[in-house]
Amino acid sequence: MQKLFQYNWQVRQDWFDWCRSVPEEELLKKRTGGVGAILPTLFHIVDVEYNWLCELDGRTDFFNDSYEGYATLQKVEALSERLHESVQAFVSSWSDELESKILQTTDSNGEAETFLYGEVMRHVIAHEIHHIGQLSVWSRELDQKPVTANLIRRGLFK
Amino acid sequence: MQKLFQYNWQVRQDWFDWCRSVPEEELLKKRTGGVGAILPTLFHIVDVEYNWLCELDGRTDFFNDSYEGYATLQKVEALSERLHESVQAFVSSWSDELESKILQTTDSNGEAETFLYGEVMRHVIAHEIHHIGQLSVWSRELDQKPVTANLIRRGLFK
């Protein structure tokens, strides 16, 4: 489980670095698909990861800010770093016994919903990879080479 | 490990179904990013998954056909089904003891390269999710709602 999170964090950092090579207006520009722009996508990834893991961790200090206050590369990257501490702590402490633990939650309509912890962890992993795939298309629209999505050859298993 | 493969297979089937709602020329049309078109992306996903798992399984019956012979939805979907049998057998037989087994292989330049089995499995998982993210952008370009990328609420953990 941890390796896929580490992959996502490496790839996310590579995209923050990539963003520095692109004019900021391109990061904010409305695009087709996903959440509709590059920087809001990175913000959304950070937000979703943090809030799900916060819930799994039994904490209530959710991140509720809207994107509007974070509309610069520097702010989104700083947010990602700030929220990373507790995210990393939870992921590091993950063990197989948590796989079948039940999360009782509510959906966006306030209806009761249950998930397994292992289900939510994989959802968070897939969520980030999916949105990063969208960034790769937008990168080519900008005539920029995207960050590699390869998981191999990243030194993650040394 | 198995759950993320099952997620990918479900999502892939949903995309094949989605493809049936779109004129075939749209599936073949050149687009920006990734492998450059919808149907070749699905072909590429099937090809890459099969060949990596074939290698992990110690088999040599690689899939070497080029996309050109499969340029219809029906053919790509039939290929996916045909190759799925051995893919599923390998994934079903996966156990944690295989995580650290070493795969000796060669890269595209013929240079020797080693990976851990667990590394390759996660690479294959991330590879499909990443390319599916690209399909979701192209879907919106077609004014079509993409297949949901959510891993939760798919019945995978019942």
Side-chain angles (χ1 to χ4, degrees):
Chain A
M1 195 73 88
Q2 281 99 344
K3 291 291 184 189
L4 282 162
F5 277 96
Q6 287 162 14
Y7 162 76
N8 273 343
W9 301 335
Q10 254 195 29
V11 171
R12 193 191 307 168
Q13 186 56 55
D14 290 348
W15 277 100
F16 281 131
D17 294 340
W18 176 96
C19 284
R20 274 185 272 282
S21 69
V22 172
E24 195 151 74
E25 70 255 30
E26 294 291 355
L27 305 180
L28 308 173
K29 194 175 151 188
K30 180 89 187 87
R31 299 177 192 281
T32 303
V35 297
I38 294 170
L39 205 56
T41 300
L42 289 162
F43 175 86
H44 173 67
I45 286 170
V46 169
D47 176 12
V48 165
E49 180 189 58
Y50 175 81
N51 280 326
W52 272 116
L53 270 54
C54 203
E55 206 165 349
L56 294 185
D57 206 10
R59 302 203 322 276
T60 54
D61 54 328
F62 295 109
F63 178 72
N64 291 313
D65 296 1
S66 66
Y67 165 72
E68 283 62 39
Y70 294 85
T72 69
L73 173 58
Q74 197 188 3
K75 286 182 180 166
V76 176
E77 194 173 359
L79 177 72
S80 179
E81 282 171 21
R82 177 161 73 80
L83 299 184
H84 186 63
E85 196 176 336
S86 67
V87 163
Q88 188 179 25
F90 183 78
V91 171
S92 300
S93 70
W94 179 263
S95 66
D96 286 350
E97 298 95 77
L98 289 172
E99 280 283 355
S100 306
K101 189 172 168 183
I102 291 168
L103 176 71
Q104 308 256 18
T105 185
T106 49
D107 67 15
S108 54
N109 299 317
E111 299 285 329
E113 208 168 16
T114 60
F115 301 112
L116 299 191
Y117 271 46
E119 181 177 12
V120 172
M121 292 289 271
R122 287 173 185 80
H123 174 70
V124 171
I125 289 165
H127 180 265
E128 178 152 357
I129 304 171
H130 181 79
H131 280 295
I132 292 292
Q134 298 171 335
L135 295 190
S136 76
V137 168
W138 295 339
S139 168
R140 290 292 183 194
E141 288 174 1
L142 286 166
D143 283 326
Q144 296 282 326
K145 191 178 169 188
V147 168
T148 177
N150 282 340
L151 185 143
I152 53 172
R153 306 191 189 100
R154 284 188 166 271
L156 286 167
F157 287 76
K158 297 293 173 203
Chain B
M1 195 72 89
Q2 280 99 344
K3 292 290 184 190
L4 282 162
F5 276 96
Q6 288 162 14
Y7 162 76
N8 273 342
W9 301 334
Q10 254 195 29
V11 172
R12 193 191 308 168
Q13 187 56 55
D14 290 348
W15 276 101
F16 281 130
D17 294 341
W18 176 96
C19 284
R20 274 184 272 282
S21 69
V22 172
E24 195 151 74
E25 69 257 30
E26 294 291 354
L27 306 180
L28 307 174
K29 193 175 150 187
K30 179 89 188 86
R31 299 177 193 279
T32 302
V35 298
I38 294 170
L39 204 58
T41 299
L42 289 162
F43 175 87
H44 174 67
I45 286 169
V46 169
D47 176 11
V48 165
E49 180 189 58
Y50 175 81
N51 279 325
W52 272 115
L53 269 54
C54 203
E55 207 166 347
L56 294 184
D57 206 10
R59 303 202 323 274
T60 54
D61 53 329
F62 295 110
F63 177 73
N64 292 312
D65 296 1
S66 66
Y67 166 72
E68 283 62 40
Y70 295 85
T72 70
L73 173 58
Q74 196 187 5
K75 285 183 182 169
V76 175
E77 194 173 359
L79 177 70
S80 180
E81 282 170 21
R82 177 163 71 81
L83 299 184
H84 186 64
E85 195 176 337
S86 68
V87 163
Q88 187 177 26
F90 184 78
V91 171
S92 302
S93 71
W94 178 262
S95 66
D96 286 350
E97 298 96 77
L98 289 173
E99 279 282 355
S100 306
K101 189 172 169 184
I102 291 168
L103 175 71
Q104 308 256 18
T105 184
T106 49
D107 68 14
S108 53
N109 300 316
E111 300 284 328
E113 208 168 16
T114 60
F115 301 112
L116 299 191
Y117 271 46
E119 182 177 12
V120 172
M121 291 290 271
R122 288 173 185 81
H123 174 71
V124 171
I125 289 165
H127 180 265
E128 178 151 358
I129 304 172
H130 180 80
H131 281 295
I132 292 291
Q134 298 171 336
L135 295 189
S136 76
V137 168
W138 295 337
S139 168
R140 289 292 183 194
E141 288 173 2
L142 285 167
D143 283 326
Q144 295 282 325
K145 191 178 170 190
V147 168
T148 178
N150 282 340
L151 184 143
I152 54 174
R153 307 189 188 102
R154 285 187 167 272
L156 287 167
F157 287 76
K158 298 292 176 207

